[in-house]
Amino acid sequence: MSTYLCSQVVLKIIKHYQEEGQGNEVVQGVLLGLVVDDRLEITNCFPFPQHTEDDADFDEVQYQMEMMRSLRHVNIDHLHVGWYQSTYYGSFVTRALLDSQFSYQHAIEESVVLIYDPIKTAQGSLSLKAYRLTPKLMEVCKEKDFSPEALKKANIAYENMFEEVPIVIKNSYLINVMLWELEKKSAVADRHELLSLASSNHLGKSLQLLMDRVDEMSQDIVKYNTYLRNVSKQQQQKHQYQQRRQQENLQRQSRGEAPLPEEDINKLFKPPQPPARMESLLIAGQINTYCQNIKEFNAQNLGKLFMAQALQDYNN
Amino acid sequence: PEKPRLPPARCPPATLPPAQLSRGRAARRPHAAPLTAVVPAGTVDKHSVEVTNCFSVPHNESEDEVAVDMEFAKNMYELHKKVSPSEIILGWYATGHDITEHSVLIHEYYSREAHNPIHLTVDTSLQNSRMSIKAYVSAPMGVPGKTMGVMFTPLTVKYVYYDTERIGVDLIMKTCFSPNRVIGLSSDLQQVGSASARIQDTLGMVLQYAEDVLSGKVAADNTVGRFLMDLINQVPKISPEDFETMLNSNINDLLMVTYLANLTQSQIALNEKLLSL
């Protein structure tokens, strides 16, 4: 199953980030299109304004409805098929994204979230990926039960959370004609950032983000371990209490008194709350994405370095 | 982006596809959809006008009259301003080949909205087998007091891109070469490969030119020669030992980071396994 993208969407997303998203803010917008057979065709999009403090009464839903109504007026596809978001160095696996994507996918089964990485694009190659939640994850989200037992039952690992949908860019003939025109008229501005050998800046930032996440993950693991230890301690205490009870009862019997009433053990020993596992799944997923990106980046750079070495050897 | 000469106008390619789409859609659907005129919005500089965005407005055109949905235009503009508050209405555009009398009327309306509006025509009917994109500004002409008319003076159009936009457009242009007009996004090493192939081609062209000049086939051009000199001087002179050390340290860094990334991934996989015990 693949997603067909009209080039207009690509350009609009790039432009939106360029104009609005300098800095660490994410920019978001809505994708419009239609579903054909098992393909998702995205033909248009419009951006979402960012939330500002002095715009407290700004109604998002109303903005969306207005836009869609106006677009319908001029015969542009107005069916909501997904949304897009920009990302900073590949960090997008968050609870917020999960919730939004879940609500979209609940309404329309084929909807995707397009993740646009402007920093990677500026390094030379367009980085646009489409993700959907796996059916397993959809089930779990529907139940809203994120305890360890439920997740174990559903058998979800961090790799099975999102599935990537391949993107294909498809243009109509008219757009192709226009592209030929553009090619003739624009100045030849061959940018060669893709072949640049400088990599330490990007690597440094990615590793920093990775380290933060790993810290979070270790904290989460510590929390889970404490929980497990508490559970086992409680078990022991329950056991001891029961034994003491039995001993006392035996003693009382031997003395001829009535045995003590059975008390509800569970009320005495409240079981500790199991921590929600969703956070740790998300963190693991994010770490995985970071590692994947870093490895891709490294592969590219290694190739470039070896090329540079070969050229130098040739010259000497 | 287009840069007319009088007030030059620049517009990013993102504004142009909507015209195509609206015209294309109109042709696809069997019922007659009204021709759409689009309003470019953008910023004004001292000598140039930059068109950065546009949206469609429905309008009806018949023999004697033309009706444009102004209410709709105002609404859309308000919505757009919420996202990019710095954009103002610059003018309007229409799909079509020529300027008609109706254009004059519509242009007059837009001169109330914007100061000296720009009129863009995008020829989607492909007259002369070209999609000509032209920009005009109106100027009054005629005898004052008697018959007044409006003349549309053409402007030069230039396309301007941001860096990331340029990269996006480069990728999109590749669809022109594929039979289905489709292209997928390629993976890391492939991109390095294609970029190097491009440089190889350009280097080949430059070498060919140099050889032609040497053998006398082509007359030598001083400016080109100077560019070539700059090019050669740009290659930094590094001694082989320094280069080796630089290269090796870089390679070592990358290998170490790859190793760490793999280690992290196996750690979280292990964690996952342990949790599910």
Side-chain angles (χ1 to χ4, degrees):
Chain A
M1 196 200 116
S2 53
T3 310
Y4 278 68
L5 220 59
C6 183
S7 47
Q8 181 187 9
V9 176
V10 176
L11 290 177
K12 266 186 163 175
I13 295 181
I14 296 180
K15 170 176 171 294
H16 184 210
Y17 176 78
Q18 187 78 25
E19 293 197 345
E20 304 286 326
Q22 302 303 340
N24 293 2
E25 306 266 331
V26 291
V27 296
Q28 296 180 336
V30 172
L31 297 172
L32 309 162
L34 46 142
V35 179
V36 174
D37 300 332
D38 63 340
R39 285 195 325 245
L40 183 64
E41 294 207 3
I42 303 181
T43 48
N44 207 341
C45 67
F46 61 82
F48 244 30
Q50 287 178 320
H51 299 281
T52 50
E53 294 83 31
D54 43 318
D55 235 356
D57 51 351
F58 173 70
D59 194 359
E60 277 194 13
V61 180
Q62 193 200 25
Y63 173 80
Q64 266 194 16
M65 299 308 296
E66 288 264 348
M67 271 305 234
M68 299 203 337
R69 218 179 316 142
S70 318
L71 291 175
R72 186 171 39 203
H73 240 342
V74 288
N75 259 341
I76 301 182
D77 291 329
H78 58 275
L79 178 62
H80 245 164
V81 290
W83 58 300
Y84 67 83
Q85 182 178 306
S86 74
T87 170
Y88 180 70
Y89 279 107
S91 45
F92 60 88
V93 184
T94 58
R95 191 57 190 270
L97 185 122
L98 190 70
D99 290 336
S100 314
Q101 182 58 16
F102 172 66
S103 51
Y104 265 96
Q105 242 174 287
H106 200 59
I108 303 173
E109 208 182 298
E110 290 85 359
S111 69
V112 297
V113 53
L114 271 185
I115 302 286
Y116 165 65
D117 190 346
I119 298 172
K120 192 141 182 260
T121 306
Q123 286 178 342
S125 60
L126 180 64
S127 160
L128 202 58
K129 298 211 166 106
Y131 290 100
R132 314 179 52 232
L133 301 181
T134 50
K136 278 198 224 168
L137 194 61
M138 287 288 288
E139 283 299 321
V140 172
C141 284
K142 260 190 251 191
E143 311 287 321
K144 288 212 197 305
D145 180 13
F146 296 132
S147 63
E149 291 79 27
L151 285 180
K152 214 188 291 190
K153 224 189 328 170
N155 201 10
I156 293 192
Y158 58 87
E159 294 132 341
N160 309 352
M161 287 207 302
F162 292 97
E163 56 184 8
E164 188 177 338
V165 183
I167 295 187
V168 172
I169 299 187
K170 183 166 175 160
N171 289 332
S172 67
Y173 287 111
L174 271 180
I175 293 194
N176 269 6
V177 175
M178 188 199 76
L179 286 175
W180 281 112
E181 281 288 324
L182 281 184
E183 190 172 346
K184 270 197 210 151
K185 297 230 184 118
S186 358
V188 172
D190 255 326
R191 322 257 335 182
H192 297 301
E193 298 97 357
L194 191 54
L195 293 175
S196 143
L197 288 177
S199 58
S200 46
N201 200 14
H202 184 253
L203 266 187
K205 289 221 184 78
S206 314
L207 282 180
Q208 183 72 41
L209 289 170
L210 187 63
M211 287 195 306
D212 291 338
R213 278 296 182 281
V214 170
D215 280 339
E216 279 181 28
M217 181 108 204
S218 60
Q219 279 177 352
D220 197 80
I221 292 183
V222 161
K223 251 194 289 182
Y224 191 64
N225 278 343
T226 357
Y227 159 71
L228 283 180
R229 243 178 298 151
N230 284 346
V231 165
S232 69
K233 230 193 309 181
Q234 227 193 28
Q235 292 282 59
Q236 271 191 335
Q237 283 176 337
K238 275 197 219 177
H239 206 63
Q240 283 177 341
Y241 178 78
Q242 267 184 329
Q243 279 190 330
R244 259 185 290 136
R245 267 285 152 120
Q246 278 185 345
Q247 276 190 341
E248 265 207 45
N249 280 344
L250 281 176
Q251 283 183 345
R252 283 179 161 221
Q253 269 186 345
S254 63
R255 277 183 284 172
E257 293 172 17
L260 287 171
E262 280 298 313
E263 284 182 12
D264 191 6
I265 291 197
N266 286 339
K267 262 199 257 171
L268 285 180
F269 295 93
K270 278 230 186 57
Q273 275 283 34
R277 303 300 304 150
M278 202 37 156
E279 272 309 309
S280 75
L281 255 192
L282 286 172
I283 296 178
Q286 183 64 72
I287 292 183
N288 196 27
T289 324
Y290 281 143
C291 291
Q292 284 296 110
N293 284 349
I294 290 180
K295 286 203 293 196
E296 267 182 28
F297 181 73
N298 282 351
Q300 265 187 332
N301 270 348
L302 274 175
K304 289 189 246 173
L305 283 175
F306 281 126
M307 249 189 347
Q309 189 178 42
L311 279 177
Q312 187 72 359
D313 288 343
Y314 182 75
N315 284 341
N316 287 345
Chain B
E2 315 183 357
K3 208 183 226 172
R5 204 185 306 141
L6 287 180
R10 300 178 298 215
C11 88
T15 62
L16 301 179
Q20 274 62 285
L21 276 189
S22 39
R23 192 67 168 88
R25 289 283 149 76
R28 249 200 262 162
R29 309 257 165 88
H31 59 269
L35 264 185
T36 48
V38 175
V39 181
T43 49
V44 181
D45 212 345
K46 259 196 289 212
H47 300 292
S48 66
V49 166
E50 184 162 342
V51 179
T52 48
N53 206 347
C54 64
F55 54 84
S56 311
V57 170
H59 80 277
N60 275 315
E61 210 170 292
S62 66
E63 280 299 325
D64 339 323
E65 60 174 30
V66 58
V68 180
D69 194 346
M70 298 307 175
E71 192 60 42
F72 181 89
K74 270 203 197 28
N75 253 349
M76 275 298 253
Y77 179 52
E78 288 300 313
L79 288 176
H80 269 266
K81 262 220 290 213
K82 291 214 175 86
V83 180
S84 359
S86 59
E87 287 188 348
I88 54 173
I89 291 193
L90 283 182
W92 63 293
Y93 89 61
T95 59
H97 174 60
D98 253 337
I99 306 188
T100 65
E101 297 161 346
H102 302 152
S103 323
V104 177
L105 289 171
I106 306 183
H107 200 81
E108 214 184 83
Y109 169 72
Y110 277 108
S111 25
R112 276 180 265 144
E113 295 274 328
H115 170 66
N116 207 7
I118 299 190
H119 173 43
L120 259 156
T121 52
V122 178
D123 182 15
T124 48
S125 53
L126 303 177
Q127 300 243 356
N128 313 328
S129 319
R130 295 273 305 267
M131 175 184 284
S132 43
I133 300 175
K134 302 206 192 87
Y136 302 93
V137 137
S138 79
M141 68 168 187
V143 182
K146 297 226 181 125
T147 41
M148 288 285 296
V150 163
M151 186 176 66
F152 282 94
T153 40
L155 307 163
T156 47
V157 164
K158 216 176 181 190
Y159 300 98
V160 170
Y161 307 87
Y162 311 117
D163 304 344
T164 42
E165 218 167 358
R166 177 83 222 188
I167 294 172
V169 171
D170 281 340
L171 180 67
I172 294 174
M173 281 212 222
K174 295 207 182 104
T175 62
C176 299
F177 304 110
S178 117
N180 286 351
R181 305 159 282 133
V182 300
I183 182 158
L185 300 176
S186 54
S187 79
D188 33 348
L189 274 182
Q190 275 178 345
Q191 290 159 351
V192 177
S194 45
S196 347
R198 260 208 309 265
I199 284 210
Q200 233 180 349
D201 288 339
T202 37
L203 277 178
M205 277 197 321
V206 170
L207 279 175
Q208 185 65 36
Y209 172 78
E211 287 193 11
D212 284 343
V213 170
L214 280 179
S215 63
K217 266 192 261 176
V218 176
D221 186 354
N222 278 344
T223 28
V224 177
R226 246 172 264 141
F227 276 130
L228 286 179
M229 278 286 290
D230 286 338
L231 184 68
I232 308 236
N233 285 338
Q234 263 183 357
V235 178
K237 293 202 169 39
I238 318 178
S239 72
E241 297 87 28
D242 287 342
F243 191 78
E244 279 291 315
T245 27
M246 263 196 332
L247 207 63
N248 280 334
S249 64
N250 266 346
I251 293 186
N252 283 341
D253 285 339
L254 290 179
L255 286 177
M256 181 188 74
V257 173
T258 315
Y259 169 74
L260 284 177
N262 278 331
L263 189 66
T264 320
Q265 273 185 320
S266 31
Q267 283 259 329
I268 43 178
L270 192 66
N271 182 40
E272 200 70 34
K273 285 279 183 296
L274 285 178
L275 281 183
S276 51
L277 275 180

